[in-house]
Amino acid sequence: MQKIARIYITACWTFFIFKLLTLPMPSSQDAGLQITYADKLVHFFIFGLLSYFLAKTLELFTQKHHRSVLVASLILPTFYGLILEYLQESIPGRSASLLDSAAGLSGSLIAIWLYHFVKIHSKPRLLLHICCGGCGAYVARALGRDFRVSLHYYNPNIWPPEEYEKRLAEVRRIARKVGCKLLVGGYDHSAWLEKIKGLEREPERGRRCLVCYQDRLEATAKKAKEFGFAWFAATLSVSPHKLAGEISRIGRELEIKYGLKFLDRDFKKQDGFKQSLALSKELGLYRQDYCGCEFSSRITHNA
């Protein structure tokens, strides 16, 4: 019903513009001079509204491509305006005017800017924990439809330091690619080793991993609270090697503790992991072959 209503409004406004700009006008020179400036304002207003209505309609059909909506909502009214200016050459009392076209284009530009500004700033802010570029690219892009996403790279579990820096470099690249701000936490691997002391021989997905989930999610929740984010989340669940149920449990507990909203979502569902692999290949991202810590690396390479 919403789609039909928006299509109807846009179509009616398009037809109104056509009727308005194709009506014969008085041929008197004085009459033409009297409406010169008002005519430019009319073009600015009517084509600005047309671009806004068109953007609101197209967003219902192409929700994943905000940039495409902006471009189409600027180009289509501009071409429509040029066609109408050409038709005016054959209408009594009217003539084509580049100034009218420029006024209409200016209105469209302002309307598209306002649409974009409202669209972006009406979304809630979310801080997303990210451990690598491969998983992060897919999740950040997916969440960008509903949130203003910032990335949080806090991974003191990663060893050796060269691996940590390699992943951080990829995350910086992803942040630029998807247009997200990046917050980088401290790297204290020794402190992390203290937290998992006695759990070194735990199997993958065992108690050591739960401590690791807790440490990284809590650091993200603290950072979200500090910087005024309403939501926090983690890319961890996109991996089939992670315990999505435990990540969910920890996130909900931290949600209560810090007074935030945790986005409780298993990102591997609906082929999320496969999509992350495909996107990584498309972007040429580095994909590691182990979780990050030295214990995970030993298990992986000894298997």
Side-chain angles (χ1 to χ4, degrees):
M1 189 64 184
Q2 188 179 30
K3 287 183 179 180
I4 295 175
R6 292 192 185 182
I7 292 173
Y8 179 75
I9 291 172
T10 304
C12 286
W13 191 252
T14 303
F15 181 71
F16 170 75
I17 292 175
F18 176 81
K19 294 297 292 182
L20 181 67
L21 298 186
T22 56
L23 285 174
M25 297 294 291
S27 57
S28 166
Q29 184 177 3
D30 291 339
L33 290 174
Q34 290 174 5
I35 65 170
T36 299
Y37 296 106
D39 194 38
K40 306 300 177 286
L41 185 60
V42 167
H43 278 76
F44 179 90
F45 176 75
I46 61 177
F47 282 100
L49 272 183
L50 178 60
S51 289
Y52 184 79
F53 290 155
L54 185 59
K56 295 294 290 183
T57 301
L58 291 177
E59 71 179 9
L60 296 177
F61 296 90
T62 57
Q63 294 182 8
K64 297 181 180 180
H65 307 288
H66 179 63
R67 186 176 299 176
S68 300
V69 170
L70 298 181
V71 172
S73 300
L74 178 63
I75 291 177
L76 293 178
T78 299
F79 272 108
Y80 183 53
L82 289 172
I83 290 171
L84 290 180
E85 288 299 320
Y86 175 77
L87 290 176
Q88 286 182 354
E89 286 291 339
S90 60
I91 298 173
R94 288 187 177 274
S95 60
S97 170
L98 289 178
L99 287 179
D100 286 348
S101 297
L105 176 60
S106 298
S108 292
L109 284 170
I110 295 297
I112 292 302
W113 180 84
L114 286 173
Y115 168 82
H116 174 71
F117 182 85
V118 171
K119 184 79 173 176
I120 295 300
H121 290 275
S122 63
K123 297 177 181 178
R125 297 175 67 220
L126 178 143
L127 186 61
L128 176 67
H129 175 269
I130 182 171
C131 55
C132 62
C135 298
Y138 164 71
V139 177
R141 180 176 289 185
L143 294 182
R145 297 194 294 268
D146 302 310
F147 296 93
R148 281 184 287 160
V149 179
S150 293
L151 307 179
H152 183 222
Y153 185 77
Y154 170 78
N155 300 286
N157 59 304
I158 296 177
W159 185 261
E162 292 78 14
E163 177 71 16
Y164 173 88
E165 293 296 335
K166 184 183 291 187
R167 296 193 194 189
L168 176 56
E170 288 293 85
V171 168
R172 291 189 192 280
R173 187 154 73 95
I174 289 304
R176 291 192 296 270
K177 181 75 69 174
V178 298
C180 293
K181 293 181 180 179
L182 173 63
L183 303 178
V184 180
Y187 178 65
D188 190 343
H189 189 66
S190 298
W192 183 81
L193 288 175
E194 282 296 316
K195 293 176 182 177
I196 56 96
K197 196 169 185 177
L199 302 174
E200 294 88 348
R201 296 184 178 276
E202 281 284 312
E204 191 72 8
R205 297 158 63 99
R207 289 180 296 165
R208 182 185 66 251
C209 291
L210 300 188
V211 174
C212 193
Y213 299 164
Q214 178 76 37
D215 182 48
R216 291 186 283 173
L217 277 169
E218 183 148 20
T220 302
K222 287 180 179 178
K223 189 67 70 172
K225 186 76 171 180
E226 178 184 352
F227 284 87
F229 288 85
W231 292 77
F232 74 103
T235 63
L236 296 169
S237 67
V238 78
S239 169
H241 305 295
K242 299 292 188 294
L243 298 169
E246 292 298 322
I247 295 168
S248 174
R249 176 187 61 80
I250 294 169
R252 291 196 306 269
E253 291 174 354
L254 294 172
E255 178 181 60
I256 297 172
K257 181 177 180 180
Y258 290 97
L260 300 170
K261 295 178 181 178
F262 174 65
L263 187 63
D264 190 359
R265 189 176 300 178
D266 187 346
F267 293 110
K268 75 173 70 64
K269 291 185 175 180
Q270 298 179 331
D271 289 329
F273 182 63
K274 290 182 181 179
Q275 291 187 60
S276 74
L277 292 176
L279 185 57
S280 295
K281 186 176 182 180
E282 176 188 330
L283 299 178
L285 299 175
Y286 162 69
R287 288 196 70 88
Q288 62 283 349
D289 60 359
Y290 70 104
C291 175
C293 72
E294 55 264 52
F295 311 108
S296 169
S297 176
R298 291 169 192 167
I299 293 171
T300 301
H301 294 103
N302 290 335

